[in-house]
Amino acid sequence: MLELTIPRTDLWDERNQRFIPVKEQKLRLEHSLVSLSKWESKWCKVFLSKEQKTYEETIDYIRCMTLTQNVDPLVYQCVTNSHIDAVNAYIEAPMTASTVKEEKGGPINRQQITSELIYYWMTAYHIPFECQKWHLNRLLMLIRICNAENKPPKKRSKRDLYRHHAEVNAANRKKFNSKG
C-alpha cells in the first residue's frame, strides 16, 4: 500500500472568481485488480499497455486506487508530478521475492492483458478472489508461478536420456560391484 499526503492548498475558481480551500488529505492507495477493473470499465481501454496515459487518465487511476473513504474530489486536482512519480514507482515495484525462469526461444505472447483476462486466470488456477486486492504485480507473479508449475514436464532429448541411463548404470555397477 502506498500513502500519499496531499498538502493543504487553495484552488482558484475561475467562474466565481474566488479561492477554494482544499484541506490536507492522506490518501491510501492500492494498485490492485480491483482498481484496474474500475479504471478499465470507465475508460474502456487496456490499462496494462505500453501506450502513454494522459494526465486525466493518470489522475483517474489514482482515484481508482484510493482506499481512503470520503475524499474531497478537489484533492485529486492537487496531485503533483512528484506524487505521480511516487505512484508510478509503486506500480512498477515487483512486491514479491519470487521469480519465474523464462523459456528461451519460447513463443512470445502479445495478448493484451485486461482485468477480465486476469479474473479468468484466477478462476482457471483456483486463486481465491480475495487476492484481487493484492498488489497487481504480486498477483500476476502468482499466476505466472501457477502457469509454470502446471506445465507438463519437458521431454528429454535422446542424448540426455542416454547420458542419464549411462549414469544410472554406472552407479548400479559401483553399488553392486558388478561389470555389466
Side-chain angles (χ1 to χ4, degrees):
M1 180 181 326
L2 175 67
E3 285 196 13
L4 289 182
T5 302
I6 310 300
R8 185 211 169 287
T9 190
D10 292 320
L11 295 176
W12 178 249
D13 180 359
E14 190 70 38
R15 188 170 5 133
N16 296 322
Q17 297 292 306
R18 66 182 180 97
F19 283 103
I20 303 170
V22 180
K23 296 178 184 175
E24 179 179 292
Q25 178 77 59
K26 287 189 189 288
L27 298 179
R28 292 179 337 146
L29 308 175
E30 186 66 67
H31 173 56
S32 66
L33 184 53
V34 173
S35 54
L36 182 78
S37 297
K38 288 178 187 177
W39 190 90
E40 286 183 348
S41 67
K42 177 176 180 181
W43 292 93
C44 298
K45 61 193 266 187
V46 179
F47 182 83
L48 298 175
S49 70
K50 295 189 188 292
E51 184 182 324
Q52 192 73 18
K53 311 290 182 283
T54 65
Y55 178 77
E56 185 182 3
E57 291 169 340
T58 302
I59 295 300
D60 194 50
Y61 189 66
I62 293 171
R63 184 191 58 74
C64 292
M65 291 172 62
T66 303
L67 300 176
T68 308
Q69 299 291 317
N70 303 319
V71 175
D72 179 357
L74 294 175
V75 165
Y76 296 106
Q77 292 181 29
C78 303
V79 172
T80 65
N81 286 336
S82 63
H83 292 124
I84 292 173
D85 291 343
V87 168
N88 287 334
Y90 169 69
I91 288 172
E92 309 228 349
M95 295 297 180
T96 179
S98 297
T99 58
V100 175
K101 185 177 176 184
E102 297 294 327
E103 263 186 51
K104 290 183 181 175
I108 298 173
N109 190 349
R110 300 203 192 291
Q111 183 177 28
Q112 290 187 326
I113 299 174
T114 64
S115 57
E116 290 82 9
L117 183 59
I118 297 170
Y119 278 115
Y120 164 75
W121 290 334
M122 288 177 68
T123 303
Y125 290 126
H126 305 288
I127 298 171
F129 278 101
E130 50 266 17
C131 295
Q132 70 183 336
K133 295 180 181 178
W134 286 7
H135 189 284
L136 190 59
N137 294 342
R138 184 175 175 215
L139 175 59
L140 290 173
M141 179 54 71
L142 175 60
I143 290 168
R144 289 176 67 202
I145 289 170
C146 290
N147 186 40
E149 292 296 319
N150 283 315
K151 280 186 179 173
K154 216 175 173 184
K155 286 190 175 182
R156 297 168 96 174
S157 68
K158 284 186 179 184
R159 180 186 291 166
D160 190 34
L161 280 174
Y162 292 149
R163 186 180 48 76
H164 175 69
H165 289 307
E167 289 172 1
V168 170
N169 287 338
N172 284 338
R173 281 193 300 272
K174 185 176 180 182
K175 180 178 177 182
F176 298 114
N177 199 22
S178 71
K179 292 185 180 179

